[in-house]
């Protein structure tokens, strides 16, 4: 369960989008800077006996994402990866665990290469937090199935994650180019839904992306 928690929380960290505007529009439109608040819920698959209370404790029910020029900070209610921080210049994903205080962990985001995957875009599927969203249907070579819902206007330049091969982050960003507003991660037992309830375009202080000071820094 702990490894699955790490995987799902890492996937939730990914941003995605679809971009269909002209080259000029891509140049003129700034990247999204601001805050997104999400709610999480677990939906058991038909016929499956799932301990939803335990999963709520694992994943939490709320998360907040801060984004600025490719730097991403995520604050989770979960015990694992309660704080996540991606710094583009280092290409590292830093995180902390409430169960292991005093240690700052990190993933090298190019440690594992890209994996084969298939994808399909469905246009104008739903409105989330006031934004009309397209849908990306993603399946990788291990059978992981994820649906992303995204608003093209919440732009994120894929240059920030060009070397982020872990979990195909760079490939997803190349297809999408913006922040996801809903993610459905499908397992054999349940679907974990993360959906935005509030999107704020706002200036974020650079200090929000300072690495927290811990006695120990350790690679995962």
């Amino acid at each position: 369960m702990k490894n699955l928690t790490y995987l799902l929380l890492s996937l939730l960290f990914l941003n995605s989008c679809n971009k269909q505007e002209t080259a000029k529009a891509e140049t003129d439109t700034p990247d999204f800077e601001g805050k997104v608040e999400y709610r999480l819920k677990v939906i058991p698959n038909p016929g499956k006996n799932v301990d939803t209370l335990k999963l709520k404790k694992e994943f939490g029910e709320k998360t907040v994402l801060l984004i600025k020029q490719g730097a991403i900070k995520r604050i989770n209610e979960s015990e694992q990866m309660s704080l996540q921080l991606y710094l583009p210049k280092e290409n590292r994903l830093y995180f902390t665990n409430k169960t292991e205080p005093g240690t700052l962990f990190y993933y090298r985001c190019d440690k594992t290469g890209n994996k084969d995957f298939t994808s399909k875009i469905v246009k104008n599927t739903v409105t989330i937090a006031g934004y009309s969203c397209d849908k990306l249907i993603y399946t990788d070579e291990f059978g992981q199935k994820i649906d992303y819902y995204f608003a093209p206007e919440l732009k994120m330049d894929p240059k920030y994650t060009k070397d982020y091969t872990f979990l195909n982050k760079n490939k997803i960003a190349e297809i999408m180019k913006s922040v996801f507003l809903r993610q459905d991660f499908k397992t054999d037992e349940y679907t974990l839904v993360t959906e935005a309830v509030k999107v704020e375009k706002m200036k974020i202080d650079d200090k929000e992306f300072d690495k927290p000071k811990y006695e120990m820094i350790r690679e995962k």
Side-chain angles (χ1 to χ4, degrees):
M1 177 62 73
K2 184 175 180 179
N3 288 338
L4 180 59
T5 302
Y6 276 125
L7 174 62
L8 294 185
L9 289 172
S10 295
L11 285 165
L12 292 179
F13 191 74
L14 304 184
N15 57 291
S16 58
C17 83
N18 181 28
K19 188 67 175 173
Q20 300 293 336
E21 287 99 344
T22 64
K24 183 177 186 299
E26 289 183 357
T27 301
D28 293 345
T29 304
D31 286 340
F32 170 70
E33 179 180 348
K35 179 170 71 171
V36 184
E37 297 181 16
Y38 298 92
R39 294 293 182 272
L40 285 71
K41 63 180 178 181
V42 175
I43 303 176
N45 293 341
K48 298 295 183 179
N49 185 17
V50 178
D51 189 342
T52 55
L53 292 178
K54 181 179 179 180
L55 291 173
K56 283 181 180 180
K57 183 178 179 181
E58 291 283 342
F59 302 121
E61 297 183 78
K62 181 174 67 175
T63 188
V64 176
L65 201 69
L66 303 178
I67 302 174
K68 181 176 183 178
Q69 296 178 341
I72 303 174
K73 180 178 181 179
R74 184 184 179 105
I75 304 165
N76 302 308
E77 284 187 339
S78 58
E79 293 183 351
Q80 307 296 327
M81 304 189 87
S82 52
L83 170 68
Q84 294 170 275
L85 179 66
Y86 175 68
L87 301 178
K89 291 182 179 179
E90 297 185 28
N91 197 30
R92 287 183 175 184
L93 174 59
Y94 291 93
F95 64 95
T96 60
N97 295 331
K98 291 180 181 177
T99 54
E100 301 172 89
T103 302
L104 178 65
F105 299 96
Y106 70 90
Y107 287 125
R108 289 192 292 112
C109 296
D110 58 355
K111 186 174 182 178
T112 59
N114 289 120
K115 307 300 180 183
D116 291 336
F117 69 95
T118 61
S119 63
K120 178 182 178 181
I121 297 292
V122 182
K123 300 289 291 181
N124 301 319
T125 59
V126 69
T127 297
I128 300 173
Y131 291 87
S132 178
C133 295
D134 298 340
K135 178 181 179 180
L136 166 66
I137 303 170
Y138 170 97
T139 304
D140 68 22
E141 64 180 281
F142 301 110
Q144 292 181 143
K145 298 179 180 180
I146 311 168
D147 292 342
Y148 294 98
Y149 297 82
F150 50 88
E153 64 188 279
L154 300 178
K155 181 184 172 186
M156 173 71 77
D157 196 317
K159 70 181 181 182
Y160 297 118
T161 52
K162 63 184 179 64
D163 298 318
Y164 198 142
T165 53
F166 178 57
L167 299 175
N168 282 339
K169 166 73 171 186
N170 57 344
K171 296 300 182 181
I172 293 173
E174 287 171 7
I175 296 171
M176 316 289 290
K177 305 183 185 69
S178 113
V179 181
F180 77 82
L181 294 185
R182 175 174 162 179
Q183 178 181 275
D184 295 356
F185 185 92
K186 303 175 182 180
T187 75
D188 292 337
E189 302 291 324
Y190 59 86
T191 298
L192 178 63
V193 177
T194 304
E195 184 167 344
V197 294
K198 187 176 183 180
V199 178
E200 293 183 80
K201 294 180 179 180
M202 57 189 294
K203 294 295 182 182
I204 305 295
D205 194 314
D206 290 341
K207 292 182 180 179
E208 289 285 354
F209 305 100
D210 288 344
K211 279 186 291 188
K213 298 185 184 301
Y214 279 78
E215 295 177 4
M216 183 181 296
I217 300 178
R218 194 170 81 193
E219 181 178 359
K220 274 286 188 178

